[in-house]
Amino acid sequence: MDCRESALLVSVLLLALALCSAQNYVLSDDGGLGRVFDGIGGLSGGGATSRLLVSYAEPYRSQILDFLFKPNFGASLHILKVEIGGDAQTTDGTEPSHMRYENDENYYRGYEWWLMKEAKKRNPNITLIGLPWAFPGWVGRGKNWPYDYPDVTATYVVNWILGAKQYHDLDIQYVGIWNERSFDIKYIKVLRNMLDKVGLIGVGIIAADGDWSVANSMILDPYLNNSVDVIGAHYPGTTTITEALKTQKKLWSSEDYSTFNNEVGGGCWARILNQNYVNGQMTATISWNLVASYYEDLPFGRDGLMTAEEPWSGNYVVESPIWITAHTTQFTQPGWTYLQTVGHLAQGGSYIALTDGKGNLTVVIETMTHNHSVCIRPPLPPFNVTSQNATFWLKGSIASIKELQVWRSQFDFKTNKPSFFEKLKPLKLVDGSFTLNLAEDEVYTLTTVSTGSKGSYPDPPPSARFPKVYKDDFDVRSPPFSEAPYFADQTGVFEYYINLTDPGPHVFTLRQVLTERPITWATDADQTISVIGDYYWQSLTVTCDVFMEKMNAGGVFIAARVDKGGQSIRSAKGVFFWVFADGTYKVTNDLVGETVLAEGQSGTEVHSWYTLSLTVKGQYASGSLNGYPLWKNAVILTPKAGWAAIGTRSFELAQFDNFALVAE
């Protein structure tokens, strides 16, 4: 026997040994099928997480949308869930309400309408869901709680669904019921009844869109059970409860992931997309959030499926979760069915299998290790994953499949040279089986579907910091969105405004429009504030024309070095230069106004325009009013850096124009 024959024999023996040592798994529909698959999705809102996306110029904005929604291109999402804006801080910012007051209806505020239409344009079959995180104050009739008057709250939500159809031709398939503190059974019944009365019989209710606890009440209350279509849990840790399974309702992870989108975040997403069904029988998983399109130094920075946080440069980054999503979404569709034969691999990891009932099969396998798949919540118990050989046997109606397309992602944490969504050679089945050598931290899709593709565009422009010189006069006659570019409202709502009674230079302005505190689970500040710019700015000059509309107690400010936002906005520090309608001014080191650095007379009054200018350099700050120094050399020890901002003393009407900043 020569060397070549010896080498061949060794190879055959090694292959035989590998096959013998492989763990066997059966994929079959002989014993019936599992639950119906409802899709994979992303969540825009909760809150203002797509805020910067709308400010991207073309073609970059459309490219980002393609990576999210275009079938057989990127994430190819099946579901888009959006916030029904409530004018309140709901994590990273505020989104405007369609009914700011009881007799007010406007279905063109905000950008969620636009986003839903763009998603629908790319995928006409996408499932649309709405969920209110917060409500305008009037809904609570004087209480910071939306469910004491269920008819009022239900009308508010139903009007949003009707408005989506009437003004945007959008069919909302589901509406969620959720509050951080609890759900309300009476409200669920009232909402179901009202939806049916206005002809929205096909709109399903997701309850409590928070945890599984509603299941206990559903078992005891047949009317409640009939009112709920989906039990939705947030961050379920891939598990459910017995009572939820007993209801026989659809079980969804209606908000999940919420993890920094580096490779560990991608590993988190890969693990839960499989194991939400394997462990918890959940047939849909929705990522919070859809796209990280808000300032990264706000809470939960970069917790999206991809990152698009620089509209001024056009830069965006297609992160690993996009391609991990594609492993499932490009080769399945809502309406496919899970096989009952899904489960865990012997040496760690999991596998799922789905069929369309017409001969197509898709198998998704993940071998994510513990430390490379940690989600932000809940805590992940220890487990082990090691390299392994796995042989899958196809039985039942799928036994005749002869070939499977193969797609693979390798995280490769050892060399930091990952490869995502790589198409390999088709796999020929032998006697209805195939064997894979599975390494740690890999994802495989094996499928009869041949339409998958890894979409791409030329590289976007390079990343760049926020421009050091920036101006906005807000002179837009027909703005496409109610929000001004790059501003991120933290409390209050700042919208484009046309003052038709003003023939002067301030016809087009930015106006803070809220006069009542909203109902919200997050901690809104007493002051309204919108931030902009670079969180790492230290020395800069902010200038803005301001106009107070609230008699006596009215006040406005411009600010620099604002160090907090989102849910933490109430405790924000910085340099805040205030002027008030009673003719005074104040300089404070915090948003709440407790630490006063300077104060005095300004001569300012309501219904007059003033130009404020604030300069912060090193440890000193100075301010001027209409070009004249009003105060100077206030000592600023902390914070060292932060955003610029504008805002008001309370929830009150006020206008801003000719905003400008120059940073060093």
Side-chain angles (χ1 to χ4, degrees):
M1 182 181 297
D2 63 21
C3 292
R4 285 178 296 179
E5 290 174 323
S6 298
L8 179 60
L9 179 59
V10 170
S11 297
V12 171
L13 289 172
L14 288 174
L15 177 60
L17 181 63
L19 291 173
C20 290
S21 64
Q23 185 74 29
N24 291 292
Y25 306 92
V26 174
L27 302 175
S28 175
D29 58 2
D30 273 344
L33 296 171
R35 291 185 171 231
V36 174
F37 175 64
D38 294 306
I40 306 299
L43 203 168
S44 174
T49 53
S50 302
R51 176 64 191 88
L52 296 176
L53 175 60
V54 298
S55 298
Y56 269 80
E58 295 294 352
Y60 310 115
R61 188 170 69 182
S62 288
Q63 292 174 6
I64 296 164
L65 293 166
D66 284 351
F67 278 114
L68 293 168
F69 301 115
K70 186 177 178 180
N72 300 314
F73 188 83
S76 307
L77 292 171
H78 303 136
I79 299 169
L80 173 60
K81 181 177 178 179
V82 303
E83 177 175 357
I84 300 175
D87 288 336
Q89 168 61 249
T90 55
T91 297
D92 287 296
T94 64
E95 297 193 32
S97 170
H98 62 289
M99 293 182 68
R100 188 151 289 148
Y101 309 103
E102 191 165 7
N103 59 352
D104 164 67
E105 290 186 58
N106 185 325
Y107 298 94
Y108 292 96
R109 295 183 184 124
Y111 43 82
E112 301 294 6
W113 312 108
W114 164 83
L115 183 60
M116 286 189 284
K117 287 188 286 188
E118 290 294 323
K120 201 81 173 176
K121 186 190 302 181
R122 288 162 173 80
N123 177 6
N125 297 318
I126 197 165
T127 298
L128 299 177
I129 303 173
L131 172 67
W133 267 255
F135 298 86
W138 65 270
V139 172
R141 295 287 196 262
K143 297 181 179 179
N144 189 43
W145 184 244
Y147 299 130
D148 285 346
Y149 302 91
D151 289 336
V152 174
T153 305
T155 299
Y156 174 84
V157 172
V158 169
N159 282 350
W160 184 86
I161 299 172
L162 292 171
K165 182 62 175 178
Q166 180 178 350
Y167 295 96
H168 302 284
D169 195 27
L170 293 168
D171 294 302
I172 306 300
Q173 282 101 320
Y174 294 94
V175 62
I177 298 170
W178 175 82
N179 191 281
E180 187 76 358
R181 289 177 281 180
S182 71
F183 62 91
D184 189 277
I185 292 174
K186 183 179 180 181
Y187 170 69
I188 295 173
K189 296 176 180 178
V190 169
L191 178 60
R192 179 71 272 162
N193 184 55
M194 191 174 295
L195 287 168
D196 293 345
K197 278 187 175 180
V198 299
L200 296 173
I201 298 172
V203 176
I205 291 178
I206 305 170
D209 214 346
D211 59 35
W212 304 118
S213 57
V214 70
N216 297 289
S217 300
M218 290 170 62
I219 291 172
L220 299 173
D221 186 335
Y223 188 86
L224 174 65
N225 188 69
N226 291 336
S227 298
V228 174
D229 296 83
V230 178
I231 303 179
H234 293 187
Y235 311 98
T238 76
T239 63
T240 185
I241 61 173
T242 302
E243 290 78 7
L245 291 167
K246 284 181 179 178
T247 66
Q248 295 297 304
K249 295 291 185 178
K250 293 176 180 287
L251 308 180
W252 289 4
S253 179
S254 52
E255 183 179 322
D256 215 328
Y257 177 61
S258 187
T259 299
F260 193 81
N261 59 18
N262 58 8
E263 268 57 62
V264 172
C268 154
W269 188 231
R271 178 176 54 79
I272 65 177
L273 283 183
N274 265 23
Q275 295 193 28
N276 274 348
Y277 186 76
V278 171
N279 299 338
Q281 297 285 287
M282 286 168 267
T283 55
T285 298
I286 301 173
S287 164
W288 188 89
N289 50 68
L290 171 73
V291 52
S293 206
Y294 47 100
Y295 289 122
E296 190 168 326
D297 292 284
L298 289 170
F300 305 100
R302 263 186 63 186
D303 278 16
L305 296 178
M306 62 179 291
T307 303
E309 58 189 18
E310 291 185 15
W312 47 86
S313 72
N315 179 262
Y316 63 86
V317 185
V318 183
E319 313 284 4
S320 61
I322 289 289
W323 304 120
I324 295 304
T325 310
H327 271 280
T328 302
T329 55
Q330 288 201 21
F331 310 106
T332 60
Q333 290 299 322
W336 283 45
T337 308
Y338 285 97
L339 301 187
Q340 289 187 11
T341 49
V342 301
H344 292 278
L345 299 169
Q347 302 302 317
S350 65
Y351 62 97
I352 58 170
L354 303 99
T355 179
D356 65 352
K358 302 174 184 177
N360 282 310
L361 173 72
T362 291
V363 181
V364 184
I365 303 166
E366 60 81 22
T367 58
M368 298 308 305
T369 57
H370 180 280
N371 291 347
H372 296 152
S373 66
V374 177
C375 302
I376 191 171
R377 53 189 155 166
L380 184 61
F383 62 86
N384 293 316
V385 177
T386 57
S387 298
Q388 57 197 297
N389 296 316
T391 298
F392 292 85
W393 296 86
L394 276 54
K395 304 290 186 180
S397 69
I398 58 176
S400 59
I401 293 173
K402 302 299 183 185
E403 182 179 272
L404 293 170
Q405 305 296 314
V406 183
W407 294 80
R408 182 181 66 187
S409 290
Q410 295 178 309
F411 284 84
D412 202 357
F413 286 94
K414 293 179 180 178
T415 64
N416 291 321
K417 293 180 180 179
S419 63
F420 293 111
F421 205 56
E422 177 187 9
K423 188 174 185 180
L424 307 182
K425 291 181 180 180
L427 187 63
K428 303 289 185 182
L429 274 66
V430 179
D431 297 328
S433 71
F434 62 89
T435 297
L436 293 175
N437 178 258
L438 302 171
E440 297 174 3
D441 299 322
E442 290 187 332
V443 180
Y444 277 88
T445 297
L446 301 104
T447 180
T448 56
V449 178
S450 59
T451 53
S453 65
K454 186 172 184 178
S456 65
Y457 283 113
D459 289 342
S463 175
R465 309 297 304 192
F466 194 97
K468 290 186 175 182
V469 178
Y470 177 77
K471 295 180 180 181
D472 196 338
D473 59 11
F474 311 120
D475 291 353
V476 183
R477 293 183 179 274
S478 300
F481 308 105
S482 56
E483 298 88 353
Y486 311 157
F487 279 93
D489 301 348
Q490 299 304 295
T491 57
V493 177
F494 295 74
E495 295 180 344
Y496 282 115
Y497 178 66
I498 302 177
N499 189 347
L500 299 178
T501 64
D502 188 345
H506 299 295
V507 175
F508 299 93
T509 67
L510 194 67
R511 193 187 199 198
Q512 200 297 117
V513 294
L514 293 193
T515 58
E516 183 180 15
R517 176 182 293 282
I519 299 169
T520 178
W521 62 271
T523 306
D524 263 353
D526 295 322
Q527 306 76 13
T528 72
I529 178 172
S530 189
V531 301
I532 188 172
D534 192 321
Y535 184 77
Y536 297 96
W537 277 340
Q538 298 181 359
S539 299
L540 71 157
T541 296
V542 183
T543 303
C544 191
D545 295 346
V546 298
F547 183 89
M548 291 172 280
E549 299 184 52
K550 184 176 183 180
M551 299 291 292
N552 302 321
V556 296
F557 68 81
I558 62 174
R561 292 189 186 174
V562 179
D563 70 343
K564 291 181 182 177
Q567 302 170 98
S568 304
I569 189 62
R570 180 182 285 269
S571 60
K573 298 188 181 304
V575 185
F576 298 85
F577 175 20
W578 312 72
V579 293
F580 304 108
D582 64 0
T584 63
Y585 78 89
K586 185 181 292 185
V587 183
T588 67
N589 203 189
D590 51 1
L591 179 62
V592 298
E594 291 180 350
T595 304
V596 178
L597 304 174
E599 59 185 332
Q601 297 297 311
S602 62
T604 50
E605 58 186 15
V606 73
H607 297 155
S608 294
W609 280 99
Y610 300 96
T611 300
L612 300 183
S613 183
L614 167 66
T615 298
V616 182
K617 189 169 184 177
Q619 295 185 0
Y620 299 96
S622 302
S624 65
L625 174 67
N626 292 339
Y628 295 97
L630 190 62
W631 55 277
K632 61 182 180 179
N633 294 333
V635 177
I636 313 298
L637 299 179
T638 59
K640 301 294 185 183
W643 295 292
I646 57 175
T648 63
R649 184 182 202 171
S650 62
F651 288 91
E652 62 185 272
L653 299 177
Q655 296 178 56
F656 302 84
D657 201 2
N658 298 321
F659 178 85
L661 56 83
V662 178
E664 293 185 8

